[in-house]
Amino acid sequence: MAGWEHELDELMRVRGGALVRYAYMLSGDRALAEDLVQDALVKVYSRLRGRPAVSGAVGVAEGSRAHDLDSPFTNAEGYVRRAVLTIYLDGYRKRQRWTGIKHLLADDPSTRGADQAASARVDVMAALARLGARERACVVLRYFEDMTVPQIADALGTAQGTVKRYLSDATKNMQEFLRPDDFRPAEGRAAR
């Protein structure tokens, strides 16, 4: 067994339960906690090659940033805990973003008829028409022509930051335009 495998085995045998409990406290779901720990272990142990080289390590070129996987890895648990947190937060951000836009999709794609698809297309076209010319151009080029931000900036002769601002503003406006009536705040009440 290679040194890193022994180290990984020792870490999971001695501190595996504590790592899963830590992930559980973050996620509130046992299965997700176990997945977070596993993903963190893969992330940490697969990226050891980016650590500074150990002098005299076999198979590691002088001046290389590669790490000899058979040399001791200090504070492995700390790296794994940090990776668990990072992976959890990345997933949380993705879920929050999805929560903010999932209502824009049709209800159930399996029961979706042609009339609903046509209605959605008309709604999107109407929302696009309500955008300013630059915002509309950025949205069409980004989401319909599948161009990158730098490509859009070149096509429109503007800065990349400006394109990003137009896309951000357009996304917020489109969300508001396409939001179903039952998700809109009642008139007279402040939006939250």
Side-chain angles (χ1 to χ4, degrees):
M1 184 183 293
W4 69 271
E5 290 173 329
H6 176 62
E7 182 181 318
L8 177 59
D9 183 55
E10 181 74 15
L11 174 66
M12 286 311 296
R13 193 167 25 80
V14 174
R15 299 297 297 164
L19 289 169
V20 172
R21 286 190 299 274
Y22 171 69
Y24 178 78
M25 289 190 57
L26 289 171
S27 67
D29 181 326
R30 175 74 180 188
L32 179 58
E34 291 170 353
D35 288 345
L36 285 170
V37 171
Q38 182 175 347
D39 290 346
L41 289 169
V42 168
K43 182 176 181 178
V44 168
Y45 280 90
S46 67
R47 296 205 176 166
L48 285 178
R49 295 194 186 282
R51 295 191 55 213
V54 175
S55 60
V58 177
V60 177
E62 195 65 36
S64 168
R65 292 191 43 82
H67 178 73
D68 179 19
L69 293 177
D70 292 326
S71 68
F73 182 39
T74 58
N75 196 16
E77 183 181 356
Y79 282 104
V80 172
R81 282 180 179 267
R82 180 63 187 183
V84 165
L85 178 61
T86 301
I87 293 167
Y88 172 74
L89 289 175
D90 287 347
Y92 177 78
R93 289 180 188 120
K94 287 177 188 172
R95 286 188 301 276
Q96 288 301 102
R97 182 173 166 90
W98 173 245
T99 301
I101 63 172
K102 71 180 178 183
H103 67 275
L104 300 175
L105 298 177
D107 296 323
D108 183 12
S110 63
T111 61
R112 189 172 170 185
D115 60 333
Q116 289 176 329
S119 175
R121 184 173 309 220
V122 168
D123 291 344
V124 169
M125 293 303 293
L128 279 171
R130 293 175 70 180
L131 295 176
R134 291 280 183 166
E135 287 179 353
R136 185 174 344 134
C138 288
V139 169
V140 169
L141 292 174
R142 177 71 183 108
Y143 298 108
F144 293 95
E145 295 296 324
D146 202 26
M147 293 174 71
T148 64
V149 169
Q151 290 171 333
I152 296 169
D154 288 342
L156 297 179
T158 186
Q160 291 182 27
T162 304
V163 170
K164 290 176 186 178
R165 189 191 77 227
Y166 284 142
L167 287 171
S168 175
D169 292 347
T171 301
K172 287 177 190 168
N173 290 333
M174 295 275 297
Q175 285 176 347
E176 184 60 35
F177 298 151
L178 295 172
R179 180 177 294 150
D181 289 335
D182 50 341
F183 285 101
R184 294 182 193 275
E187 301 226 5
R189 282 192 296 173
R192 292 182 199 165

